[in-house]
Amino acid sequence: MKRSILNKSIFLALACAAGSASAVSTDFGMHGYIKSGLLINSDGTRAERIGLWSDTAKFRLGNEHNTKIELLPTVTMTTDDGVIARVRANLTHETTCTADWNCVDADGHEIQFREGFVELENVAFAPGVVWWAGKRYSSSNASNHQYDWEYIQYNGTGGGADKIDLGFARLDVGVYAFMPSDRNSEDPVDGTVQGYSDDFSLNVWLKDIGGIGLDLQAVGHTMEQHPWHSNAAEDGLGLTAIYNFNGFYNFANGYSRAVLQYGEGLAAGDSLGKNGWGFANSKGTKSWRGVLDGLASFGNWDVSTFAFYQQDKDYKPWSNVVEGEGDDVNRWAVGVRPFHQIAQNFAMQYEVGYEYFDNTTTDQKGGLVKATIAPTITFESGFWSRPQIRTFVTYAKWDDEVGDRIGSSYTRDGQTDTWNFGVQGEVWF
């Protein structure tokens, strides 16, 4: 009942905002994303996603077992002087439950309110600048759809300004706070300090430097020492450089980018290129990563490509080891996803991906290969066209040495491969 009242209150507030501003023009929009379907293995049982680090990333075609519904109600108000105000909420439901009721996410919630923020653009003293405050995804986030991974992801509560014109570049700057909800009341180890421990980060971007497609970012983190991970880092530094090519690496239509990232302390490991996930890193944790992300278009063919390599030093995620007791880990992945628009409203999709994990400290190493064929009904033409309804067959095989990194539903009898199949609908709007 309380959740229903809260949901209604949000939409009522947005509606009131739309109806009360007689001096401005007001628009209401609803955007969102939905994916859902069946993932079944050859034993006739429900399957789960598969990968060497599938909690954070995976080759996704024919490899998703969850339902996700993301709704973004947005009110946009514009004055006669051109000042623009945007008010947005993000309501997300994500679950592996297959029923039509009583489905909750991994935290036991039916709905997560992931964003709620206000933006003001073109104010009189700063035309062109976008000011924001609240809980928001960074406008600089970057992801690869094929690999289902945001390799740049700064989310949380804070404020800042985007699109500040410096002449030689555009400046985005923001401050964020991020701590998991079950740990947002951690008392500092130092009893003389007021308040609670939280990961605070200052994020600074210079974009399209000199008009050559180069973006540079620096982020600084700080967090008061807390008893949950008493040996954890208390600060961190992260750096990112992005080069945006013309088309697909300058030789075909499409897009492409090359990314280099470095992080230490709170900005390393799972928090490399992100905020809020380095709270278990030691002071000596260091990471670097290279990413190649692109899509080429050749008439009725679109080909998505993705590759990354990451090296972590003194890294022991979700533990409480002191500096120097972590592991040295190398991991990489490479994959390709061709999309062939065979006829109006029908396409064939294919995906082949390989992941490799090497813990040089424990000498655990091995790889996983995954391949999918997916006949697809399309609404329009092209890789990005949605909605899509696809059926698929997926085969995956992995080395026994990394079996403990695969979901236990696949390895309970020592198996090292699987056949999965199913159907999925996906749309963004």
Side-chain angles (χ1 to χ4, degrees), residues 178-382:
F178 187 108
M179 196 72 167
S181 59
D182 60 339
R183 294 293 178 178
N184 63 5
S185 296
E186 290 290 328
D187 294 331
V189 171
D190 184 352
T192 67
V193 174
Q194 295 179 331
Y196 300 103
S197 297
D198 212 316
D199 181 345
F200 292 99
S201 59
L202 176 62
N203 197 334
V204 179
W205 281 90
L206 292 175
K207 296 183 176 180
D208 196 21
I209 299 172
I212 63 172
L214 177 64
D215 302 337
L216 296 177
Q217 177 240 17
V219 59
H221 296 253
T222 183
M223 181 169 61
E224 187 68 26
Q225 188 180 18
H226 52 90
W228 182 27
H229 293 289
S230 57
N231 297 315
E234 298 174 49
D235 52 46
L237 172 67
L239 302 171
T240 294
I242 302 175
Y243 183 74
N244 299 285
F245 292 88
N246 181 23
F248 185 75
Y249 301 108
N250 296 329
F251 78 84
N253 292 327
Y255 82 90
S256 56
R257 62 174 69 102
V259 183
L260 287 176
Q261 297 172 285
Y262 171 81
E264 58 185 43
L266 292 172
D270 289 342
S271 207
L272 180 61
K274 304 185 179 187
N275 63 323
W277 297 106
F279 45 78
N281 293 343
S282 77
K283 298 175 177 64
T285 304
K286 294 180 173 63
S287 302
W288 76 270
R289 175 194 297 148
V291 175
L292 292 175
D293 178 4
L295 182 140
S297 295
F298 307 99
N300 291 332
W301 284 88
D302 294 324
V303 182
S304 174
T305 64
F306 181 77
F308 90 94
Y309 177 88
Q310 181 167 330
Q311 186 177 84
D312 303 307
K313 297 289 187 181
D314 196 15
Y315 174 60
K316 200 86 168 183
W318 315 112
S319 59
N320 192 28
V321 299
V322 299
E323 183 176 358
E325 293 184 358
D327 296 341
D328 293 343
V329 176
N330 303 314
R331 44 184 162 162
W332 57 271
V334 59
V336 60
R337 179 172 164 177
F339 176 99
H340 184 198
Q341 192 75 45
I342 293 176
Q344 185 175 1
N345 303 124
F346 183 78
M348 290 293 298
Q349 297 190 70
Y350 315 89
E351 184 176 76
V352 177
Y354 184 78
E355 298 175 330
Y356 189 79
F357 176 84
D358 180 9
N359 186 324
T360 60
T361 302
T362 65
D363 202 31
Q364 181 190 30
K365 62 181 67 176
L368 174 145
V369 63
K370 174 259 183 195
T372 299
I373 298 176
T376 304
I377 302 172
T378 65
F379 179 63
E380 295 181 296
S381 298

Side-chain angles (χ1 to χ4, degrees), residues 65-187:
H65 68 310
N66 59 326
T67 292
K68 182 174 183 179
I69 302 171
E70 186 176 60
L71 300 177
L72 305 173
T74 305
V75 171
T76 302
M77 296 169 282
T78 307
T79 69
D80 293 338
D81 296 327
V83 179
I84 302 170
R86 300 182 190 90
V87 184
R88 169 174 285 185
N90 180 328
L91 289 71
T92 299
H93 168 77
E94 187 167 8
T95 183
T96 59
C97 171
T98 55
D100 65 341
W101 81 100
N102 291 338
C103 287
V104 297
D105 61 23
D107 294 323
H109 301 297
E110 295 176 358
I111 295 177
Q112 297 277 8
F113 292 84
R114 301 193 63 183
E115 291 183 287
F117 65 91
V118 174
E119 291 182 346
L120 289 173
E121 183 176 0
N122 285 336
V123 296
F125 61 86
V129 177
V130 178
W131 304 88
W132 68 272
K135 181 176 288 189
R136 192 188 80 150
Y137 297 167
S138 170
S139 60
S140 302
N141 288 354
S143 64
N144 177 267
H145 180 75
Q146 173 190 349
Y147 200 53
D148 193 22
W149 186 35
E150 287 187 283
Y151 47 87
I152 300 173
Q153 183 185 38
Y154 292 93
N155 302 338
T157 305
D162 295 342
K163 300 181 180 180
I164 302 173
D165 188 357
L166 300 180
F168 70 96
R170 298 191 312 275
L171 171 67
D172 291 356
V173 59
V175 60
Y176 289 88
F178 187 108
M179 196 72 167
S181 59
D182 60 339
R183 294 293 178 178
N184 63 5
S185 296
E186 290 290 328
D187 294 331

